[in-house]
């Protein structure tokens, strides 16, 4: 007798295989049931999210008119909750030493031709200065799992170093952390080091598939990995970032698993994941992505993003430079709220790009543009690039952040913060054309701030930024 219980602390019960299989069968059976599909869409229009079952029916649907409605609704929800802001970040690879055997990752321990590197604190400093000189304010640090080379003390030291670097007007104001599953005690230490979001990709929710993809190393323990977000929240981290590596297993299975994970966190901790990432498997050193048979097309990828947007309207969504420009443009309008830009995925890559014959990137980057090019592109598409980190620094994390979203105050808070941080970028780092486009955009966007008093303060702050002051926020 199987048991599915979103409130359970056991991975097998909150991500229950049989429940997912029943969900997929239900979705298959009803995917052309117009009455049910219309009913689910009306529920979705209330903007309170959908259950994994309902959302799976939408994902399975092949009716053209319903799919058009799904895309239309995803765009509307994106616009209502996130407006036209897109938050920018960059990954910073600290170490590619790894003891795990993940068959899809070039860091796997038996990849003997991958040159292993770990940044010293001086190298972290140089990488961070390079990132600050590009204009970045928000990083996601990345590391392989190796208790000898990259123990938690090393990660904590790096976080501390990063926050301490102030080069010219540069500052990293939020460090998100993507490291292997760890203990409650270590999550507490990360919280004390003032990290932003703790990010951990599930890779796959399919337990049997997971076993085969992770044959050796500590990461092979599916339950320990799947229960990591619970431990992170118990350790006091209330912003956690989930994700699946699409291409490893069947995407419909992963979609249901991902939503069940969100339902579980909401049921137990009162708040779902802060972000959901949607990485797709890419070629890398020693990894041939085409050897994995579950790759998804760009169209399916877009549908996935739209369905996630509808199912969890308050959760930020992240797309990285694993996707090319065209694909990024498509999914931005369907629900993505954060993107990386100007990324290097090798250890030390911001100071010294990897020579071609010594590949140590974590995956092939599909969008190789500079941050300035990405910023200019976003603005020309009508988006407001944002370097805002205010919520977490003002203590608006977890459910407090969600209340901000739900109260509709984003336009008086996030939007002004986006404009002020964009202004900092334009003054300090932008190329002349980008600056010109940006200044015009800020002028036009000022008019969309509803409260007159807020608008007045923003206008004063914009002048103060011109004069050299920094770091204004609501
Ligand atoms: N070591 C940490 C862990 O085990 O979760 C996280 C760091 S790892 C640098 C970040 C993520 O890169 C992984 O969680 C995985 O989803 C993704 N990744 C690994 N190999 C990849 C590939 N070939 N293509 C795209 N993404 C990949």
């Amino acid at each position: 007798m199987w048991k599915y219980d979103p409130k359970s602390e056991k991975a097998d019960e909150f991500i229950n295989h049989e429940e997912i299989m029943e969900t997929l069968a239900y979705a298959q059976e009803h995917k052309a049931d117009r009455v049910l599909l219309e009913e689910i869409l009306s529920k979705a229009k209330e903007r309170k999210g959908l259950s994994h079952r309902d959302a799976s029916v939408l994902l399975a649907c092949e009716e053209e008119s319903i799919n058009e409605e799904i895309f239309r609704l995803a765009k509307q929800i994106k616009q209502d909750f996130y407006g036209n802001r897109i938050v920018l970040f960059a990954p910073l690879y600290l170490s590619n030493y790894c003891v795990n055997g993940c068959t899809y990752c070039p860091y796997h321990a038996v990849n003997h031709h991958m040159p292993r590197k770990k940044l010293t604190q001086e190298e972290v400093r140089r990488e961070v200065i390079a990132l600050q000189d590009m204009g970045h304010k928000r990083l996601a640090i990345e590391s392989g799992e190796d208790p000898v080379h990259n123990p938690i003390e090393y990660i904590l030291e790096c976080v501390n170093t990063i926050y301490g670097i102030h080069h010219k007007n540069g500052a990293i104001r939020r460090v998100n952390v993507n490291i292997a599953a760890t203990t409650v005690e270590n999550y507490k230490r990360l919280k004390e080091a003032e990290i932003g979001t703790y990010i951990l990709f599930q890779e796959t929710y399919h337990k049997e598939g997971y076993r085969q993809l992770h044959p050796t190393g500590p990461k092979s323990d599916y339950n320990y990995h799947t229960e990591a977000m619970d431990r992170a929240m118990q350790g006091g981290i209330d912003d956690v970032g989930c994700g699946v590596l699409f291409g490893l297993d069947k995407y419909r299975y992963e979609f249901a698993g991902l939503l069940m994970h969100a339902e579980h966190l909401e049921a137990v901790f009162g708040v779902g994941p802060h972000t959901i990432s949607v990485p797709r498997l890419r070629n890398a050193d020693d990894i041939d992505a085409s050897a994995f048979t579950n790759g998804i097309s760009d169209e399916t990828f877009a549908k996935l993003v739209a369905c996630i947007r509808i199912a969890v309207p308050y959760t930020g969504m992240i797309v990285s430079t694993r996707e090319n420009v065209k694909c990024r443009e498509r999914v931005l309008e369907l629900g993505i709220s954060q993107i990386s830009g100007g990324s290097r995925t090798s250890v030390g890559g911001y100071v010294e790009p990897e020579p071609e014959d010594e590949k140590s990137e974590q995956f092939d980057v599909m969008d190789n543009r500079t941050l300035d090019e990405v910023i200019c592109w976003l603005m020309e598409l009508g988006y407001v690039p944002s370097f805002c980190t205010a919520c977490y620094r003002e203590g608006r994390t977890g459910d407090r952040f969600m209340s901000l979203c739900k109260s509709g105050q984003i336009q008086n808070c996030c939007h002004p913060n986006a404009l002020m941080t964009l202004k900092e970028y334009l003054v300090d780092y932008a190329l002349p054309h980008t600056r010109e486009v940006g200044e015009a955009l800020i002028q036009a966007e000022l008019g969309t701030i509803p409260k007159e008093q807020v608008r007045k303060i923003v206008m004063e702050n914009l002048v103060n930024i011109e004069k050299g002051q920094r770091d204004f926020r609501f």
Side-chain angles (χ1 to χ4, degrees):
M1 187 56 197
W2 54 274
K3 186 174 167 201
Y4 164 56
D5 178 7
K7 284 205 160 134
S8 168
E9 289 176 1
K10 294 187 187 142
D12 291 324
E13 292 179 359
F14 65 79
I15 308 289
N16 180 267
H17 173 71
E18 284 78 8
E19 169 61 22
I20 298 184
M21 294 315 283
E22 278 199 3
T23 297
L24 299 188
Y26 175 81
Q28 205 51 27
E29 191 187 326
H30 294 285
K31 67 179 187 182
D33 178 344
R34 284 201 85 89
V35 176
L36 180 68
L37 286 160
E38 299 283 359
E39 217 174 87
I40 297 173
L41 277 169
S42 331
K43 227 187 274 177
K45 283 178 190 156
E46 291 170 22
R47 289 154 168 66
K48 290 188 184 130
L50 291 176
S51 69
H52 62 275
R53 279 220 174 193
D54 283 347
S56 292
V57 180
L58 293 189
L59 185 66
C61 167
E62 288 161 4
E63 305 282 305
E64 206 175 307
S65 61
I66 300 279
N67 279 342
E68 276 167 20
E69 182 66 4
I70 290 172
F71 284 122
R72 205 198 55 73
L73 182 59
K75 282 185 203 173
Q76 194 57 54
I77 291 179
K78 160 87 198 295
Q79 182 58 35
D80 293 349
F81 287 157
Y82 294 91
N84 52 358
R85 289 174 309 285
I86 300 291
V87 170
L88 273 306
F89 75 99
L92 171 59
Y93 283 78
L94 300 178
S95 168
N96 60 13
Y97 282 95
C98 195
V99 296
N100 287 312
C102 317
T103 58
Y104 51 85
C105 179
Y107 289 2
H108 67 81
V110 290
N111 183 359
H112 296 301
H113 46 87
M114 153 89 56
R116 301 289 165 165
K117 275 193 213 162
K118 165 187 165 178
L119 298 179
T120 63
Q121 295 310 303
E122 183 46 36
E123 286 167 334
V124 170
R125 238 181 75 78
R126 285 169 41 211
E127 288 283 288
V128 170
I129 287 174
L131 283 155
Q132 288 183 358
D133 282 346
M134 289 159 72
H136 278 295
K137 299 282 186 267
R138 178 189 288 247
L139 301 183
I141 56 173
E142 311 274 342
S143 170
E145 179 170 16
D146 186 326
V148 174
H149 289 97
N150 332 316
I152 191 73
E153 289 74 19
Y154 170 71
I155 305 293
L156 294 168
E157 194 184 359
C158 291
V159 172
N160 198 33
T161 299
I162 295 168
Y163 278 135
I165 299 164
H166 298 280
H167 173 70
K168 299 185 182 160
N169 282 331
I172 298 302
R173 298 174 181 155
R174 178 174 178 132
V175 179
N176 297 334
V177 173
N178 182 6
I179 59 164
T182 185
T183 59
V184 175
E185 195 44 48
N186 286 345
Y187 287 123
K188 280 188 187 150
R189 294 172 78 184
L190 287 166
K191 169 78 183 171
E192 278 159 21
E194 301 188 357
I195 69 158
T197 312
Y198 171 66
I199 302 163
L200 181 69
F201 299 156
Q202 179 62 31
E203 320 301 6
T204 174
Y205 283 97
H206 192 285
K207 192 169 186 172
E208 195 39 50
Y210 186 97
R211 275 207 197 104
Q212 288 168 18
L213 292 158
H214 304 92
T216 54
K219 193 165 169 176
S220 59
D221 185 338
Y222 174 90
N223 287 8
Y224 188 74
H225 187 80
T226 310
E227 291 158 9
M229 294 316 195
D230 297 65
R231 292 193 301 281
M233 285 194 158
Q234 285 155 15
I237 298 176
D238 39 22
D239 284 350
V240 299
C242 295
V244 157
L245 185 54
F246 287 102
L248 296 182
D249 215 301
K250 304 262 185 298
Y251 73 94
R252 288 179 180 159
Y253 191 102
E254 306 295 17
F255 176 77
L258 190 58
L259 294 183
M260 284 164 78
H261 203 170
E263 286 163 13
H264 161 68
L265 295 174
E266 176 95 43
V268 177
F269 300 99
V271 56
H274 184 66
T275 53
I276 286 182
S277 298
V278 286
R280 277 197 287 183
L281 185 69
R282 292 291 172 224
N283 288 332
D285 181 59
D286 208 35
I287 306 297
D288 173 10
S290 66
F292 293 75
T293 49
N294 291 311
I296 53 174
S297 68
D298 287 354
E299 195 48 34
T300 302
F301 186 64
K303 174 103 188 266
L304 252 175
V305 169
C307 289
I308 296 174
R309 178 67 303 137
I310 290 174
V312 282
Y314 302 114
T315 304
M317 282 183 77
I318 303 178
V319 78
S320 72
T321 55
R322 288 176 184 86
E323 300 304 329
N324 65 26
V325 180
K326 195 166 151 245
C327 177
R328 297 214 310 166
E329 181 169 336
R330 172 103 170 98
V331 292
L332 273 174
E333 60 170 4
L334 296 174
I336 298 297
S337 53
Q338 280 189 40
I339 64 170
S340 47
S343 306
R344 295 278 160 73
T345 63
S346 57
V347 179
Y350 291 105
V351 171
E352 252 175 68
E354 283 299 312
E356 260 310 300
D357 57 345
E358 203 191 272
K359 271 192 96 180
S360 69
E361 288 114 333
Q362 208 217 344
F363 52 82
D364 282 357
V365 167
M366 308 300 278
D367 180 352
N368 283 297
R369 293 171 301 172
T370 62
L371 180 63
D372 197 72
E373 286 167 334
V374 172
I375 297 289
C376 197
W377 165 76
L378 284 173
M379 296 191 299
E380 284 172 342
L381 290 174
Y383 294 106
V384 176
S386 173
F387 292 90
C388 180
T389 52
C391 275
Y392 129 90
R393 294 162 80 216
E394 294 291 325
R396 293 189 295 257
T397 56
D399 54 355
R400 276 152 291 170
F401 169 76
M402 293 299 167
S403 333
L404 179 80
C405 278
K406 291 176 190 172
S407 69
Q409 276 309 304
I410 277 192
Q411 205 60 11
N412 278 314
C413 187
C414 304
H415 191 58
N417 286 338
L419 297 180
M420 293 189 294
T421 54
L422 174 61
K423 176 74 177 182
E424 287 186 353
Y425 175 83
L426 297 178
V427 173
D428 288 337
Y429 308 105
L431 290 175
H433 174 67
T434 307
R435 176 145 190 195
E436 204 179 298
V437 176
E439 294 291 357
L441 179 77
I442 291 175
Q443 284 314 310
E445 289 289 328
L446 278 172
T448 67
I449 300 174
K451 278 195 189 152
E452 203 187 319
Q453 182 60 12
V454 174
R455 199 179 326 130
K456 214 172 129 236
I457 296 171
V458 175
M459 285 163 79
E460 280 165 19
N461 289 346
L462 291 173
V463 174
N464 290 332
I465 292 169
E466 283 280 356
K467 290 184 186 154
Q469 287 186 51
R470 295 288 174 273
D471 206 9
F472 293 103
R473 60 178 184 266
F474 287 95

